[in-house]
Amino acid sequence: MSVDQKTLLADLTRRMDGAIESLRRDFAGLRSGRASPALLEPVRVEAYGGEVPLTQVGSIAVPEARMLTVQVWDRTLVGAVERAIRDAGLGLNPAADGQTVRVPIPQLTEERRNELARAAGKYAENGKIAVRGVRRDGMDQSKKLEKSGDISEDDVKVWSDAIQKLTDQYVKRVDELLSEKEREIKQV
């Protein structure tokens, strides 16, 4: 294995890890009936003359399994935080309690669980597409090196096999993450 191949594989691995991390963030935003601070991360609050992420106006905590709390730092923004969570399309109904906004996590209906499982499947498919895109880039790079005379045809075959094996590992990880998330969603 030449230094160039090690460098290429390290770069591809780093990029595929990025695709897996992105998938994990997407999955964290899917409500599974259990409280998770990641659920409120995409919420944006109308504050200070613009829209800011919820995490910039308060801290999110999980005091119990089916409850999130947002400790709002600026008392004047409590109503805006409450409105932002309600309007975020997450099916949550927050209630202000002083400078704290309590967000109970309701039980999921069977229909909603199925919708979330389908959404998780779409996220996983996008993750696989990202991994395959990285594979395509790796294959293209090895073919360019062959054309420029830097590596032989045999080397391209060896590199292609290594890239494919790496891709298969990451696609398998995506499938494992999906089945784990589906189990979490379907759990009553």
Side-chain angles (χ1 to χ4, degrees):
M1 191 184 271
S2 68
V3 174
D4 288 335
Q5 185 182 12
K6 284 181 182 173
T7 306
L8 176 67
L9 285 177
D11 179 54
L12 296 178
T13 300
R14 180 187 56 75
R15 290 172 58 199
M16 288 182 186
D17 280 338
I20 294 288
E21 268 318 298
S22 176
L23 178 63
R24 282 197 169 119
R25 277 192 305 277
D26 289 343
F27 279 173
L30 286 178
R31 187 159 63 96
S32 60
R34 225 178 288 132
S36 163
L39 184 60
L40 297 179
E41 281 179 9
V43 175
R44 300 189 63 78
V45 179
E46 195 69 40
Y48 310 120
E51 278 196 348
V52 297
L54 178 63
T55 53
Q56 289 184 9
V57 296
S59 56
I60 304 168
V62 184
E64 45 190 271
R66 303 185 58 76
M67 174 76 69
L68 289 170
T69 59
V70 181
Q71 184 64 42
V72 184
W73 300 318
D74 183 345
R75 188 178 298 276
T76 61
L77 295 177
V78 172
V81 167
E82 199 177 350
R83 236 182 342 277
I85 294 170
R86 190 171 290 115
D87 298 343
L90 298 170
L92 300 174
N93 194 14
D97 181 11
Q99 257 183 275
T100 302
V101 176
R102 297 189 181 287
V103 186
I105 307 297
Q107 281 280 25
L108 293 175
T109 64
E110 189 61 35
E111 183 181 326
R112 183 71 177 135
R113 285 180 197 280
N114 291 334
E115 282 175 32
L116 289 171
R118 278 194 297 279
K122 286 180 185 158
Y123 288 151
E125 190 53 42
N126 289 341
K128 287 179 186 180
I129 289 168
V131 166
R132 290 182 192 123
V134 172
R135 174 189 63 191
R136 185 185 58 245
D137 291 349
M139 297 292 197
D140 291 348
Q141 285 177 344
S142 67
K143 286 188 175 80
K144 282 180 190 166
L145 287 171
E146 180 190 16
K147 273 189 178 153
S148 67
D150 293 337
I151 62 172
S152 69
E153 197 176 314
D154 291 341
D155 286 340
V156 170
K157 175 77 175 115
V158 170
W159 286 32
S160 294
D161 291 346
I163 292 169
Q164 186 58 50
K165 188 185 290 183
L166 184 67
T167 302
D168 292 343
Q169 289 171 357
Y170 277 86
V171 166
K172 186 175 180 221
R173 279 178 63 186
V174 168
D175 287 337
E176 289 167 355
L177 287 171
L178 174 62
S179 68
E180 189 179 304
K181 188 63 181 181
E182 284 178 335
R183 247 192 325 277
E184 185 182 312
I185 289 169
K186 300 283 184 186
Q187 187 178 19
V188 179

